[in-house]
Amino acid sequence: MLRRSFLIALVLLLLCACSSREPQRLLDRAEAVMNEKPSKAIALLDSISDDGLTRSQRMRRLLLLTNAQNKCDTIFRSDSIQRMLVEYYDSHGTANERMLAKYLLGRAYYDMGEMPMSLNAYQSALADTTGTEQDYYLLSRIYSQMANIYYHQNLLSDQIDCINRSVKYAIMDRDTLGAVYNYLQKANSFDVLGMTDSVITICEKVYSFFLNNGMKRQSSQVLSLLGLHYIKKGMLEKAKQCLEIYEAESGFFNYNHDIEKNREVYYSILGEYYIAKEKYDSAEFFFRKELRKGKDFNNQNAASRGLALLFQKTHQPDSAAKYALYSYAMNDSVYAHMATQEVERMKAIYDYTRHQELAHQAEKESERKTAMLRWILFISLLVLSAAFYIAYKYKQKKQYEARLFKNRIAELEKTQSDILMLRQHEEEYRDAIKEKEQAICQLQEQIEKYQQNHRQKRTELQAAKESLPLFRKIQKQEANGQILSKEDLQKLRQYVIENYPSCYKFISEKDFNLNMMEFNTCILIRLGYAPKVISHFLDCSPAYISKIRITLLKKMYEIEGKPQEFDQKLELLN
């Protein structure tokens, strides 16, 4: 029976272990097929439920899923998921995972049109490449994306530098095809810079690579740019070969030899070729075909510029001027648009940098204020704790002294009674009387000491009245018969709290339910002011103060008596 229970427990344990390993296995498998089959990676990741996953597994699943979506050309409309991934991997995971999270944040900003923020995210991702096992594939992708941004910002030297780095890391990752495609991007930069020989060299190398590796269609797609630069160099036979192969093998043409939409700029290449061959009718046919079918700026500008050149060569000045003016107007418009875009781009970069600096300064100021507040709170707690401790000890001491005083009075009364009884039998109890008389002397000394201490308190109060600015101010008001302000009364109450806590606690008891006039009268009596002075301070008649004192004697001590009795009792409280 015991053996059977052990076997069941072992089977359950193995099942649990297998079930916990299954999500990890699927995550590893999805990561393995990520670069070659991102859609399959998405299917694998979608099959994993978040239930039962640890936090690190959930975040890894989200990171891989976002990466796979990016590889499937998903357009990101929000950066919320990417910012959450960056925040998590800033303090978790590996350097490569942190770099990937920041790269995906850059891709989100790029899709949202935030180029400066995208570039900043890529540069931040590159700062996380200090690990020994670097992800060269991802590094190549980051530099490729940065090159694309620099190209559209017309920063061609920065673009070329990023392309060189992208090619370097693609080769280190043994991604030869990726390295070739990145290398081909340099041809566009050299084309803009007018470096025809460099464009021809790059295109010839890429064409040979594709052809030698059986990638016939890819090789032919390079030939339109290569053919154009052959034409510029006057190498018309080579240009013709390039254009014929391009039309036959690129897959961009239909059975009527019309190129697919958005590639109509090819017609201007044909037009330039036929101008170079001095076949002006054919050149005009292709320029007008581009003008008719390509409605964007590039096609309209290229076609009108080609027609202006054609009519200039065929000595048709009116037509040449017409299309030259059309091309000039479009260029003028596009330059104005580009200038506006450049201003907006620079403003966006400035605003982003400025906001970053302001946010950094605000964060530092907030941290400084938080630290200062913590110190203030800590010191305040220490001071309050010390104050409470001192007050507690002072209260204990006063209670002990009061109890001791009462006990001594009781002992004195009892001893005196004993003496009176003993004196009736003086002879018989002479020794006992002597002993009691000694006890009386000791008790009288202790009582006198207490009373001296009490008188010392009165002396201290009188000294305070003479030395403290508060009491000196009130003394002047007393001499002038002035009324005390609320602030002065408040400061006097604080003085009583600090120096006569038992008195303040006694008059503050809820059962007495004193009004403000009664409460202030008690404070002033305890501070030793005469009733007439109190009536001046509180702006009322001396008779009214006397009435209050009689009322307070009855309310607080349940005694019918004179006002002076109340003063005497209150002055005993410390």
Side-chain angles (χ1 to χ4, degrees):
M1 184 69 181
L2 217 99
R3 185 178 174 188
R4 193 158 141 205
S5 300
F6 174 74
L7 286 172
I8 292 171
L10 185 61
V11 169
L12 289 173
L13 188 63
L14 288 171
L15 287 173
C16 288
C18 290
S19 64
S20 65
R21 284 198 298 268
E22 181 62 15
Q24 191 64 42
R25 187 184 66 80
L26 290 173
L27 288 171
D28 293 340
R29 188 178 170 194
E31 186 171 15
V33 301
M34 180 69 64
N35 294 334
E36 292 77 16
K37 298 177 181 178
S39 57
K40 184 177 180 181
I42 291 176
L44 286 169
L45 294 166
D46 284 339
S47 69
I48 303 173
S49 172
D50 279 346
D51 296 337
L53 295 183
T54 63
R55 188 188 178 199
S56 63
Q57 287 176 328
R58 286 198 305 272
M59 297 306 292
R60 186 184 176 206
R61 176 185 173 276
L62 188 58
L63 180 69
L64 293 175
L65 182 60
T66 309
N67 190 25
Q69 290 169 344
N70 175 59
K71 289 181 181 295
C72 291
D73 296 324
T74 301
I75 296 176
F76 298 116
R77 304 295 184 189
S78 168
D79 63 343
S80 56
I81 291 176
Q82 289 83 349
R83 283 192 291 107
M84 179 176 69
L85 288 170
V86 168
E87 184 178 352
Y88 175 79
Y89 282 105
D90 265 345
S91 53
H92 301 82
T94 64
N96 284 333
E97 287 172 329
R98 185 160 53 253
M99 178 170 63
L100 176 58
K102 291 179 180 178
Y103 165 72
L104 293 173
L105 180 61
R107 292 293 299 129
Y109 285 141
Y110 185 88
D111 288 347
M112 293 162 65
E114 299 287 350
M115 298 305 169
M117 295 175 72
S118 176
L119 196 59
N120 184 72
Y122 292 147
Q123 290 168 342
S124 179
L126 293 174
D128 292 312
T129 58
T130 55
T132 53
E133 296 183 3
Q134 295 183 359
D135 188 342
Y136 297 124
Y137 176 84
L138 182 56
L139 284 169
S140 177
R141 294 297 301 147
I142 292 172
Y143 278 113
S144 177
Q145 294 293 332
M146 290 174 68
N148 186 41
I149 293 174
Y150 285 134
Y151 178 76
H152 287 98
Q153 292 179 342
N154 207 31
L155 301 171
L156 299 181
S157 60
D158 291 321
Q159 185 219 10
I160 292 169
D161 179 61
C162 284
I163 289 173
N164 290 336
R165 292 172 184 269
S166 179
V167 170
K168 167 191 166 184
Y169 285 115
I171 292 171
M172 291 174 72
D173 190 54
R174 299 180 182 177
D175 180 14
T176 308
L177 189 59
V180 170
Y181 275 120
N182 288 327
Y183 176 67
L184 183 59
Q185 286 188 62
K186 290 172 70 173
N188 296 323
S189 303
F190 292 138
D191 184 22
V192 175
L193 293 169
M195 300 169 65
T196 299
D197 291 336
S198 297
V199 175
I200 290 173
T201 300
I202 291 172
C203 289
E204 285 178 344
K205 286 182 179 179
V206 172
Y207 173 74
S208 298
F209 172 82
F210 284 141
L211 201 62
N212 293 334
N213 286 275
M215 303 170 70
K216 204 170 183 181
R217 183 171 180 179
Q218 287 85 345
S219 68
S220 65
Q221 291 172 2
V222 180
L223 294 179
S224 63
L225 183 60
L226 181 57
L228 173 62
H229 286 273
Y230 278 151
I231 295 167
K232 289 181 179 180
K233 295 288 287 185
M235 304 164 69
L236 299 183
E237 286 304 314
K238 283 191 172 184
K240 181 182 178 183
Q241 292 175 9
C242 287
L243 299 181
E244 286 175 350
I245 297 171
Y246 181 71
E247 290 187 21
E249 298 178 2
S250 66
F252 296 148
F253 295 83
N254 61 19
Y255 59 92
N256 289 325
H257 295 283
D258 292 329
I259 200 166
E260 65 183 30
K261 189 173 175 58
N262 297 325
R263 296 183 185 273
E264 296 89 351
V265 75
Y266 173 70
Y267 296 133
S268 70
I269 299 176
L270 289 175
E272 290 190 29
Y273 170 74
Y274 284 116
I275 286 178
K277 295 284 287 185
E278 298 183 351
K279 294 183 178 181
Y280 299 124
D281 290 340
S282 297
E284 183 178 357
F285 170 79
F286 284 110
F287 283 133
R288 290 193 180 280
K289 187 173 184 180
E290 181 181 14
L291 201 63
R292 186 174 65 254
K293 294 198 173 224
K295 299 300 182 183
D296 61 1
F297 166 79
N298 287 332
N299 282 295
Q300 293 291 302
N301 184 50
S304 59
R305 187 161 38 84
L307 287 169
L309 178 64
L310 172 66
F311 290 130
Q312 185 182 5
K313 284 184 175 292
T314 57
H315 307 290
Q316 301 178 57
D318 291 341
S319 296
K322 171 187 173 182
Y323 286 104
L325 285 171
Y326 181 48
S327 175
Y328 173 80
M330 279 191 296
N331 275 302
D332 191 45
S333 173
V334 78
Y335 283 139
H337 180 65
M338 286 172 65
T340 303
Q341 283 185 323
E342 182 66 13
V343 169
E344 290 175 351
R345 181 182 69 81
M346 292 304 295
K347 182 178 182 297
I349 293 172
Y350 169 77
D351 287 344
Y352 176 70
T353 306
R354 180 171 173 271
H355 290 157
Q356 266 197 327
E357 179 61 25
L358 289 174
H360 181 63
Q361 290 178 1
E363 185 180 0
K364 286 179 67 177
E365 181 65 17
S366 176
E367 288 175 356
R368 188 185 68 80
K369 287 182 178 179
T370 302
M372 185 181 293
L373 183 61
R374 284 174 180 166
W375 274 108
I376 290 171
L377 288 173
F378 176 71
I379 293 170
S380 299
L381 283 172
L382 282 179
V383 171
L384 283 173
S385 299
F388 278 122
Y389 178 76
I390 292 168
Y392 174 73
K393 286 295 183 183
Y394 181 81
K395 180 182 175 182
Q396 279 191 326
K397 180 182 177 183
K398 289 301 175 184
Q399 287 176 345
Y400 172 75
E401 289 178 352
R403 286 196 303 270
L404 191 62
F405 178 69
K406 289 179 181 178
N407 290 337
R408 294 296 180 266
I409 290 174
E411 287 180 24
L412 177 60
E413 191 277 331
K414 183 176 182 302
T415 305
Q416 287 175 335
S417 299
D418 290 344
I419 285 177
L420 291 174
M421 291 179 63
L422 289 170
R423 277 179 180 164
Q424 295 176 3
H425 309 280
E426 186 172 354
E427 293 297 331
E428 186 178 351
Y429 299 108
R430 189 181 301 274
D431 292 338
I433 290 171
K434 187 176 181 181
E435 184 180 340
K436 293 295 181 181
E437 284 176 344
Q438 288 175 352
I440 287 170
C441 289
Q442 290 177 356
L443 290 170
Q444 284 176 336
E445 286 176 1
Q446 292 174 355
I447 291 168
E448 185 178 355
K449 186 177 179 182
Y450 183 87
Q451 288 173 335
Q452 284 175 354
N453 186 41
H454 192 67
R455 282 195 297 271
Q456 184 181 356
K457 282 287 183 180
R458 288 188 178 181
T459 305
E460 288 173 358
L461 175 59
Q462 187 61 34
K465 287 182 177 181
E466 292 174 359
S467 63
L468 293 179
L470 171 63
F471 287 105
R472 287 204 301 269
K473 176 186 173 186
I474 291 173
Q475 190 174 8
K476 290 179 182 179
Q477 291 174 307
E478 177 182 352
N480 296 327
Q482 293 179 351
I483 301 169
L484 291 185
S485 65
K486 289 182 179 179
E487 289 78 13
D488 291 331
L489 287 168
Q490 184 180 5
K491 290 177 181 177
L492 289 173
R493 288 195 291 271
Q494 289 175 353
Y495 182 86
V496 170
I497 291 172
E498 293 171 3
N499 294 278
Y500 305 102
S502 298
C503 176
Y504 190 88
K505 181 180 178 182
F506 177 73
I507 64 177
S508 302
E509 285 186 5
K510 186 177 179 182
D511 292 341
F512 297 150
N513 195 23
L514 303 185
N515 58 38
M516 187 55 71
M517 180 64 80
E518 292 173 338
F519 195 88
N520 288 334
T521 300
C522 290
I523 293 294
L524 292 168
I525 288 170
R526 184 62 192 86
L527 291 174
Y529 289 105
K532 186 176 180 180
V533 176
I534 294 172
S535 68
H536 284 306
F537 282 165
L538 301 181
D539 193 22
C540 60
S541 65
Y544 184 66
I545 294 299
S546 296
K547 184 180 178 182
I548 288 175
R549 290 150 68 205
I550 293 170
T551 302
L552 291 173
L553 182 64
K554 185 175 181 181
K555 184 187 288 188
M556 299 171 75
Y557 293 96
E558 298 181 352
I559 297 174
E560 297 280 350
K562 296 178 181 181
Q564 293 80 359
E565 293 179 39
F566 174 75
D567 299 352
Q568 292 168 1
K569 289 185 176 294
L570 199 62
E571 286 174 358
L572 290 174
L573 296 175
N574 286 325

